[in-house]
Amino acid sequence: MRKLLALLVMLLFTLPIAGTASVALLVNPALASCATTSLVVGPIPDSLTATARDGSAVTLGRQQLTHAATVISIGAATREVGRAGIVIALTAALTESNLRMLANSTAYPESTEYPNDGDGGDHDSLGMFQMRPTSGWGTVAELMNPDYQARAFYGGSDSPNSGSPRGLLDIPGWRSLTPGQAAQAVEVSAFPDRYDNVQPVAEAILGALTKTAGSAQLPSEGAPAEASRIVVPMVDGTYTWVSSFGWRTDPFTGRPRFHAGSDLAAADGTPILAAADGVVTFAGASGGFGNLIVVRHRVDGERVDTYYAHMWSSGVHVVVGETVAAGQHIGDVGSSGRSEGPHLHFEVHIGIESRVVDPLEWLTEHGATGVDGATVAPASCSPEGSR
């Protein structure tokens, strides 16, 4: 056990930050085969304000959010899209039109006869995704229909364009791209760097408008069966231990603050693993944690809750009530919430009183082993798809 502690301490100072978004696909090919999502669009608010990556505030009205609901619903019903694909579509539509159905009175005067949210006038582009009839995306009548535009953007076997022009699902390896890169691959914009700025807004829209099956928190009582093994919550060689448990200087305020977990730095999209067999008791947005997964375990007869924080909403691959195995891919590294960059914030809470302990010491005391990427139990298709 002491050898593991020594090894982990050495890794804290020596391991490079490794892995890319494509690691998720390599470690978990099942992600590419998930079917439709379990997302359900709920009530549409009158407005929503979210913060873009550059710190600017983006406010959307009910009509824009209604278009977002259309994009989400069609993505949820389209095989292989999943939450990740929906975030990409929302990112593209926000950048191209600020989620408005735009007519083009100069190029196509007849476009103003269809329901619209204003006149765009960008060359001969139309609608939310600013698609061009001359590029083969569809007729004016088709492109002034938000449902048609969403289906065309997603592409794949449900596409009205049969892969030409290419929709998202027609882009080889799109899951290994950032949302901005994937949006650019479909849109082929002259300004490819614009998309990443609004990804956090897309994430906020998806979180505000939807819920997943079993998204409510479970009662505190009860615990699963005894865990069979304990593992380090990331694949060997894909992370660096960068921040330890205890008092430290808060990077946001510059004042002393207790850090209740350990941080594992890794590339955005790197797989996060369940530290032990257990049951998911929370999966969703949670204040400064950003998107959080909590898994309940029974270890040596005692209740233990492990916390995995800062994922993007598209990086949460489990739902409340789901049983997971030690080493199973449950999420992807992100930087949502109170975070300075992509990393996993990992906490261990003991007993009904939820007493926090040093995660590194707890892993060592319980003989935690490292995980080889080839042995990772895959993420389920929920919420990315049906189980």
Side-chain angles (χ1 to χ4, degrees), residues 1-11 230-232 236 239 241 359-370:
M1 293 184 185
R2 296 299 173 192
K3 288 182 179 179
L4 175 61
L5 178 58
L7 175 61
L8 291 176
V9 170
M10 179 180 70
L11 290 175
I230 310 296
V231 302
V232 177
D236 290 344
Y239 64 90
W241 293 87
L360 186 58
E361 289 186 1
W362 183 84
L363 289 171
T364 303
E365 290 168 0
H366 290 85
T369 57

Side-chain angles (χ1 to χ4, degrees), residues 181-270:
Q181 291 170 335
Q184 167 64 8
V186 178
E187 295 287 348
V188 195
S189 168
F191 304 96
D193 298 329
R194 298 178 302 161
Y195 299 102
D196 283 321
N197 185 51
V198 295
Q199 179 190 340
V201 181
E203 298 274 358
I205 294 170
L206 184 58
L209 267 61
T210 64
K211 60 182 179 179
T212 52
S215 60
Q217 190 165 3
L218 290 181
S220 59
E221 61 271 13
E226 183 73 20
S228 61
R229 65 181 182 130
I230 310 296
V231 302
V232 177
M234 295 190 74
V235 175
D236 290 344
T238 66
Y239 64 90
T240 303
W241 293 87
V242 295
S243 183
S244 58
F245 178 85
W247 288 96
R248 66 172 186 174
T249 299
D250 189 301
F252 293 93
T253 66
R255 296 192 294 269
R257 180 185 175 94
F258 190 80
H259 188 236
S262 291
D263 292 344
L264 292 77
D268 202 316
T270 302

Side-chain angles (χ1 to χ4, degrees), residues 62 125 164 173 196 368:
R62 184 176 180 81
S125 300
S164 181
D196 283 321

Side-chain angles (χ1 to χ4, degrees), residues 2-361:
R2 296 299 173 192
K3 288 182 179 179
L4 175 61
L5 178 58
L7 175 61
L8 291 176
V9 170
M10 179 180 70
L11 290 175
L12 174 62
F13 297 104
T14 62
L15 268 180
I17 297 177
T20 63
S22 61
V23 171
L25 196 58
L26 293 173
V27 172
N28 181 27
L31 278 181
S33 61
C34 292
T36 55
T37 77
S38 58
L39 286 174
V40 177
V41 175
I44 299 173
D46 290 333
S47 66
L48 172 71
T49 298
T51 303
R53 192 154 285 164
D54 64 4
S56 62
V58 177
T59 299
L60 304 167
R62 184 176 180 81
Q63 183 67 5
Q64 291 158 294
L65 295 173
T66 298
H67 294 320
T70 296
V71 172
I72 294 167
S73 296
I74 290 176
T78 303
R79 290 185 60 86
E80 315 299 340
V81 169
R83 295 176 65 98
I86 293 171
V87 168
I88 292 165
L90 291 172
T91 296
L94 279 164
T95 303
E96 295 294 333
S97 69
N98 203 27
L99 274 167
R100 294 175 297 159
M101 279 299 295
L102 297 176
N104 190 325
S105 61
T106 301
Y108 300 103
E110 67 272 29
S111 65
T112 61
E113 299 172 7
Y114 297 91
N116 66 81
D117 305 315
D119 195 356
D122 179 13
H123 299 288
D124 62 338
S125 300
L126 295 166
M128 282 187 293
F129 295 99
Q130 289 292 274
M131 292 172 169
R132 305 173 71 174
T134 55
S135 296
W137 282 108
T139 66
V140 172
E142 288 169 335
L143 293 178
M144 291 306 296
N145 182 322
D147 289 52
Y148 178 95
Q149 282 228 346
R151 289 192 297 116
F153 181 89
Y154 288 125
S157 59
D158 295 329
S159 171
N161 299 309
S162 302
S164 181
R166 297 187 307 175
L168 180 64
L169 297 178
D170 306 313
I171 306 296
W174 67 268
R175 286 184 179 274
S176 67
L177 304 175
T178 68
Q181 291 170 335
Q184 167 64 8
V186 178
E187 295 287 348
V188 195
S189 168
F191 304 96
D193 298 329
R194 298 178 302 161
Y195 299 102
D196 283 321
N197 185 51
V198 295
Q199 179 190 340
V201 181
E203 298 274 358
I205 294 170
L206 184 58
L209 267 61
T210 64
K211 60 182 179 179
T212 52
S215 60
Q217 190 165 3
L218 290 181
S220 59
E221 61 271 13
E226 183 73 20
S228 61
R229 65 181 182 130
I230 310 296
V231 302
V232 177
M234 295 190 74
V235 175
D236 290 344
T238 66
Y239 64 90
T240 303
W241 293 87
V242 295
S243 183
S244 58
F245 178 85
W247 288 96
R248 66 172 186 174
T249 299
D250 189 301
F252 293 93
T253 66
R255 296 192 294 269
R257 180 185 175 94
F258 190 80
H259 188 236
S262 291
D263 292 344
L264 292 77
D268 202 316
T270 302
I272 295 168
L273 315 178
D277 306 334
V279 175
V280 178
T281 61
F282 187 88
S286 182
F289 284 119
N291 287 288
L292 171 72
I293 294 172
V294 179
V295 182
R296 178 158 300 163
H297 322 273
R298 183 170 290 278
V299 180
D300 295 337
E302 190 170 36
R303 196 183 94 179
V304 176
D305 293 301
T306 52
Y307 286 49
Y308 312 78
H310 299 313
M311 292 155 286
W312 304 116
S313 63
S314 56
V316 176
H317 300 314
V318 291
V319 294
V320 170
E322 184 170 344
T323 299
V324 297
Q328 181 174 326
H329 181 180
I330 59 173
D332 298 328
V333 167
S335 188
S336 66
R338 205 167 183 270
S339 169
E340 289 190 297
H343 71 285
L344 165 64
H345 174 82
F346 177 61
E347 295 185 6
V348 177
H349 296 238
I350 306 297
I352 296 176
E353 69 276 17
S354 196
R355 172 173 51 89
V356 294
V357 298
D358 185 327
L360 186 58
E361 289 186 1

